[in-house]
Amino acid sequence: MYSRLSFSWTASSWAFALLLVFPIIALVYEGLKPAEEIFQHLMATVMWDYILNTVLLILGVCIASLLVAVPAAWLMAMCELPGRKHLQWALMLPLAMPAYVVAYIYTDLLEYAGPLQGALRDVFGWQNSQDYWFPEIRSLGGAIFVITSVLYPYLYLLARTSFLEQSVSLMQSARLLGKTPTQAFWRISLPLARPAIVVGMSLVAMETLADFATVDFFAVNTLTRAVYDTWLGYGSLQAAAKISVMMLFVVVLILSIERYSRRKQKVFQKALTHEDDSRFVLLGWRKWAASLYCWSLVAVGFILPFAILINYARYYFAASWTAEFFQYSVNSLVIATIVALIATAIAVLVGLYRRLDTRPSTVLPSRLSSMGYAVPGTVLAIGVLIPFGWLDVQINDVMQWLGMKGPGLLFSGTMIALIAGYLVRFSAIAVGAVESSINKVSPSLDMVSRTLGQTPVKMVRRVHIPLIRKGCLAAILLVFIESMKELPAALILRPFNFETLATYVYQFVSDEMLEYGALPAIVIVLVGLVPLIFLNRSLEQAH
């Protein structure tokens, strides 16, 4: 190992890391300033409703995800069911569906004028809504239902992995003691999987907090929607920053609860994991009920919405196959490619800096580079606008002082802001993928290279880069896909008259004309399926 790298390598690693975390610092600084009149007005009128709705939404989605995902994860890991081989990856498919698209589809199906209520009125002879009760889809409960249907795979994936890692001997002991599968679940599997379940629920909670489009479509006032409305409606960057700081506090609180809940818990398990012959074999109606339950989750979260999208695209193909569709596809492709390449380059830089420099402080750049992923997109967007807006003002003031015409919004009104927001948001994905590959490189190779007199740069070029090539490709792919799908940050940071596929689809959803945006929505879904395919293959190889 090299005790110290060159100054340029060290300086560039720290510079990129600080640039990625600077929007968060600027956001906190702006949010802690004395409150403006707009923010005071919001606090005196609607802010507590926003906070209450946010808390209820997070709790509702977390509880609902817990109730649907954990049983499905246990059935896939511990039981032999019809179609289990296909079900275990199909249950992850809803992650590829944008929640706002699912919200529109189920609103169209379940609202008063929709086909379901219309059929019920025809069958039972009801004349109007006063003759019967039907749950209102455009409500907090409807938002919980839709968001749960697409986010439960986070919890399912972690819980299933935890169940699969549990020792076979534990289940065999439960059988010898005459325990039923249900008793084995409550007394053995569930307690051992609690750390993974807590982590999964924290992910679900943060994704729920970050959701903007679904709650906006259902007119549920949450903090995420408050940030968007305050900036674009009132034009108050400071008030938006203060609300964003509230959301940062919620994120920190969620992460703190997750870590505190497992502060003293240590789970030791034998290396021997589950084999096919150790699974519980459900018989009779139980196996078909369990299989039907799991397929119902897939149908609600993916099969039915995707089938309706395909039907829309088939009927409205001519109206969707337009020059705008191609232009916005190119916009998304260009932005996503730039962000993926830059994020991966930064990840390689800070990852190898941590690997080759033995000082304890070298871990900080990679940690700072990863902070943005836990922050909602709307919050990061405000954090990017604060320094970029200040920089634009300073540049224009200097140009006017020199007697020249200012360039206008050079940073905050261009693609630079959009790229910067995406980088802050998704660099953590690249850092994780690259560091995972770097950690697999044997330290002995570094020692041999040093013994042969190789400089750090030569060793990186000849040894590390070839060995971490797959990790870099994975980082590029994952960041590219996430950038293609990102909506909240794009809505705030995009330049004037600039659209991505995500914002293009959302406009149709907002106008309740998803039929014309079904084709770009299908593109987004298909792009989102790529990481799920890779993830499923890696899980099959691991188990």
Side-chain angles (χ1 to χ4, degrees):
M1 294 290 183
Y2 291 83
S3 60
R4 182 169 296 185
L5 296 177
S6 65
F7 173 77
S8 59
W9 195 325
T10 301
S12 57
S13 297
W14 279 96
F16 281 117
L18 291 174
L19 284 174
L20 290 174
V21 79
F22 186 74
I24 301 176
I25 298 174
L27 178 68
V28 174
Y29 174 78
E30 186 72 20
L32 294 179
K33 287 182 178 180
E36 292 180 340
E37 183 179 347
I38 292 177
F39 182 76
Q40 293 175 345
H41 171 72
L42 292 174
M43 288 298 298
T45 53
V46 298
M47 187 56 65
W48 291 108
D49 289 334
Y50 282 100
I51 295 173
L52 178 61
N53 287 335
T54 301
V55 172
L56 292 177
L57 180 66
I58 292 175
L59 288 177
V61 172
C62 285
I63 293 173
S65 297
L66 180 68
L67 294 176
V68 302
V70 174
W74 189 81
L75 289 170
M76 290 299 99
M78 300 292 191
C79 300
E80 192 61 47
L81 298 176
R84 186 188 64 83
K85 183 178 180 180
H86 301 292
L87 264 174
Q88 62 186 0
W89 63 264
L91 283 162
M92 296 187 292
L93 292 178
L95 279 178
M97 291 295 301
Y100 53 93
V101 172
V102 179
Y104 175 90
I105 289 172
Y106 278 110
T107 299
D108 195 43
L109 288 175
L110 302 179
E111 65 182 353
Y112 178 79
L116 180 59
Q117 291 199 52
L120 290 175
R121 288 193 296 271
D122 291 339
V123 170
F124 295 100
W126 295 326
Q127 300 298 317
N128 52 55
S129 60
Q130 304 299 321
D131 296 336
Y132 65 100
W133 177 86
F134 196 87
E136 177 58 52
I137 186 65
R138 289 181 180 267
S139 63
L140 179 63
I144 291 173
F145 163 72
V146 168
I147 296 175
T148 299
S149 69
V150 298
L151 291 186
Y152 80 83
Y154 282 113
L155 183 52
Y156 159 78
L157 179 61
L158 291 171
R160 173 176 168 252
T161 303
S162 179
F163 289 142
L164 286 171
E165 291 173 349
Q166 293 175 7
S167 174
V168 174
S169 61
L170 295 174
M171 295 299 104
Q172 291 174 342
S173 299
R175 287 181 175 180
L176 291 175
L177 293 172
K179 300 301 181 183
T180 65
T182 303
Q183 291 173 328
F185 168 75
W186 286 108
R187 298 188 181 186
I188 298 176
S189 298
L190 188 60
L192 289 175
R194 198 183 79 176
I197 291 173
V198 172
V199 173
M201 290 184 66
S202 67
L203 285 173
V204 170
M206 287 189 291
E207 290 293 331
T208 303
L209 178 66
D211 184 276
F212 163 76
T214 308
V215 295
D216 183 62
F217 182 75
F218 283 151
V220 177
N221 294 324
T222 63
L223 289 175
T224 308
R225 193 177 179 207
V227 172
Y228 184 84
D229 292 343
T230 302
W231 167 237
L232 295 182
Y234 293 99
S236 175
L237 191 60
Q238 191 198 69
K242 286 187 172 295
I243 300 172
S244 298
V245 170
M246 290 183 181
M247 296 181 66
L248 275 180
F249 173 77
V250 175
V251 170
V252 173
L253 181 62
I254 292 170
L255 294 175
S256 300
I257 292 174
E258 181 264 320
R259 292 189 177 185
Y260 180 81
S261 66
R262 53 191 179 97
R263 68 194 185 285
K264 295 182 180 180
Q265 187 169 22
K266 295 182 179 180
V267 179
F268 300 96
Q269 297 171 5
K270 295 182 180 180
L272 185 62
T273 54
H274 273 275
E275 302 292 341
D276 289 340
D277 58 358
S278 67
R279 302 181 192 279
F280 291 105
V281 178
L282 301 182
L283 301 175
W285 65 269
R286 289 181 176 83
K287 72 174 181 180
W288 296 110
S291 182
L292 178 62
Y293 169 75
C294 294
W295 278 115
S296 298
L297 296 179
V298 180
V300 170
F302 182 81
I303 295 176
L304 179 59
F306 192 63
I308 292 176
L309 279 181
I310 292 176
N311 188 54
Y312 285 161
R314 184 167 63 92
Y315 280 102
Y316 294 87
F317 181 82
S320 302
W321 193 260
T322 61
E324 288 83 4
F325 168 64
F326 285 102
Q327 180 60 54
Y328 302 151
S329 299
V330 171
N331 291 346
S332 296
L333 180 65
V334 171
I335 291 291
T337 301
I338 294 173
V339 172
L341 293 175
I342 296 176
T344 304
I346 294 173
V348 171
L349 181 69
V350 299
L352 290 175
Y353 172 63
R354 179 184 178 184
R355 170 65 177 255
L356 299 177
D357 198 318
T358 58
R359 289 173 293 179
S361 60
T362 57
V363 70
L364 288 177
S366 63
R367 294 292 173 263
L368 292 175
S369 303
S370 303
M371 287 181 62
Y373 192 65
V375 183
T378 48
V379 173
L380 279 181
I382 299 300
V384 169
L385 284 176
I386 292 171
F388 278 12
W390 179 86
L391 191 59
D392 281 338
V393 170
Q394 301 306 313
I395 292 174
N396 282 275
D397 288 346
V398 170
M399 296 296 287
Q400 290 180 4
W401 181 74
L402 295 174
M404 303 170 62
K405 183 179 179 180
L409 299 179
L410 183 62
F411 293 99
S412 59
T414 63
M415 285 175 56
I416 296 176
L418 187 60
I419 292 172
Y422 281 15
L423 281 174
V424 177
R425 181 92 165 89
F426 301 125
S427 288
I429 300 175
V431 170
V434 171
E435 281 192 352
S436 177
S437 290
I438 292 175
N439 291 336
K440 294 177 182 178
V441 178
S442 175
S444 62
L445 294 177
D446 296 9
M447 298 175 187
V448 171
S449 299
R450 184 179 181 183
T451 302
L452 295 174
Q454 297 293 307
T455 64
V457 175
K458 289 183 178 179
M459 182 173 65
V460 166
R461 187 177 69 249
R462 296 179 179 179
V463 178
H464 289 101
I465 294 300
L467 292 176
I468 66 173
R469 185 171 63 247
K470 289 185 178 180
C472 293
L473 291 176
I476 292 172
L477 177 65
L478 292 174
V479 175
F480 177 86
I481 291 168
E482 289 296 327
S483 300
M484 289 282 290
K485 294 163 54 181
E486 175 64 19
L487 176 66
L491 286 173
I492 295 178
L493 295 175
R494 59 184 170 145
F496 184 70
N497 282 337
F498 183 90
E499 301 286 350
T500 65
L501 279 180
T503 60
Y504 184 52
V505 173
Y506 178 69
Q507 285 187 356
F508 286 114
V509 171
S510 299
D511 296 336
E512 300 194 12
M513 298 171 60
L514 178 61
E515 296 85 353
Y516 296 95
L519 184 61
I522 290 174
V523 173
I524 294 175
V525 173
L526 293 178
V527 168
L529 287 176
V530 175
L532 296 181
I533 295 172
F534 279 97
L535 180 60
N536 180 64
R537 288 184 177 179
S538 65
L539 287 175
E540 288 181 347
Q541 293 174 359
H543 302 286

